[in-house]
Amino acid sequence: MDRNELLDTCLLAGRIMIEGGSEMYRVEDTMTRILNNAGENDAVIFSTPTGIFASIRNQPYMQLRQINVRDIDMERIARVNQLSREFAEKKLTLSELHTRLANLDNNIPYFPMWMQIVGAAVLSALLMVVFTQQYDWFDIPLAGVTGAIGFAVAVYIRRVTNIKFVSELTGSLALALCAMLGVRLGLGHNLDNILIGAVMPLVPGVAITNSIRDLLAGHLLTGIARGMEAILTASAIGFGIAVVISMG
């Protein structure tokens, strides 16, 4: 077996999982299983949010990959895990596993944009009721609309700029403006309740959860880095809403 191809396949799987927002201990576990199932039981793996390393102990084989993009995509993580299981069950050869992973990396599965916006609207409306415990049917439609607008603005800004946290800031500005305008036009009653629901699609809940899980698993560097990233994202969201409210 070509050990360079094995390490390349292992690192490709790890990079896809990290870019999809997986916990670091899950990434290392999947990479280790791929190496073990290929017959290499003496591998060394080190992973961070910005780069992963893999080598075979006492052998002149070592590779690393840089991580430039990090998002939340559970489907990519699930597909990598499924391919890893098929490789463990000998349903795939190493070359087939590498090809399938490369296809997954180049053809990222996404729901249509309109469906994501509708999902953001439904999420905003429902979570407004959950968190506020107020069944104000007059505010529910406005919460859904403002949440969808904020999410759409954040996605668009994320596509046109590589600066982190700008998309969350502009998205929160947009939804806060829409919520305040809607209340002033008489389309809603309680601005606070509407904002609580509308901001939920932007909140980094998965990032916060994964940072805590990484800390508990002993990945202190990754847990702290992801925790700070989540805190900065939440701060950008709060800053955008605070600016609009203070101006109003």
Side-chain angles (χ1 to χ4, degrees):
M1 181 175 295
D2 187 349
R3 289 186 172 90
N4 283 319
E5 183 183 13
L6 175 60
L7 291 178
D8 185 50
T9 303
C10 176
L11 288 169
L12 178 58
R15 180 174 62 79
I16 294 173
M17 295 183 70
I18 294 176
E19 290 179 352
S22 175
E23 308 94 322
M24 208 58 63
Y25 72 86
R26 189 187 303 274
V27 172
E28 293 187 357
D29 179 69
T30 300
M31 295 172 65
T32 301
R33 288 177 184 273
I34 291 175
L35 289 166
N36 291 343
N37 291 324
E40 292 293 344
N41 298 316
D42 202 16
V44 178
I45 297 173
F46 180 73
S47 59
T48 71
T50 56
I52 46 178
F53 306 79
S55 66
I56 300 175
R57 188 176 286 110
N58 299 323
Q59 296 290 333
Y61 299 98
M62 192 278 288
Q63 293 187 25
L64 62 89
R65 293 292 182 274
Q66 185 177 6
I67 309 298
N68 296 317
V69 179
R70 291 184 301 278
D71 204 348
I72 302 299
D73 191 340
M74 297 294 105
E75 185 171 357
R76 298 180 72 187
I77 299 172
R79 292 195 180 193
V80 172
N81 284 331
Q82 180 59 36
L83 291 174
S84 175
R85 295 187 190 98
E86 292 179 7
F87 180 66
E89 296 170 357
K90 308 302 181 183
K91 295 180 180 179
L92 296 175
T93 64
L94 179 62
S95 298
E96 291 172 341
L97 175 62
H98 187 275
T99 301
R100 296 277 292 276
L101 288 171
N103 290 335
L104 174 61
D105 187 37
N106 295 325
N107 301 282
I108 302 173
Y110 282 117
F111 288 106
M113 188 61 196
W114 67 267
M115 188 177 295
Q116 296 182 43
I117 294 175
V118 171
V122 174
L123 177 69
S124 300
L126 294 180
L127 289 185
M128 188 204 79
V129 177
V130 171
F131 286 116
T132 63
Q133 293 296 304
Q134 295 182 18
Y135 299 90
D136 190 343
W137 299 103
F138 196 71
D139 285 341
I140 289 177
L142 183 58
V145 171
T146 54
I149 292 174
F151 175 79
V153 170
V155 171
Y156 174 76
I157 297 299
R158 192 179 299 126
R159 291 177 178 177
V160 299
T161 181
N162 293 324
I163 303 176
K164 190 67 175 172
F165 314 118
V166 173
S167 60
E168 289 83 0
L169 175 62
T170 53
S172 62
L173 284 170
L175 70 88
L177 284 171
C178 292
M180 181 174 292
L181 181 62
V183 171
R184 290 190 175 182
L185 293 176
L187 303 177
H189 291 155
N190 193 316
L191 178 62
D192 293 338
N193 291 351
I194 294 170
L195 289 175
I196 289 173
V199 78
M200 285 300 114
L202 302 180
V203 172
V206 176
I208 294 173
T209 302
N210 286 351
S211 69
I212 295 174
R213 296 184 67 175
D214 278 329
L215 287 172
L216 295 177
H219 291 270
L220 302 181
L221 176 63
T222 301
I224 293 173
R226 284 187 167 172
M228 286 302 302
E229 186 175 6
I231 290 172
L232 290 175
T233 301
S235 299
I237 296 171
F239 180 78
I241 295 175
V243 168
V244 175
I245 293 177
S246 63
M247 292 175 60

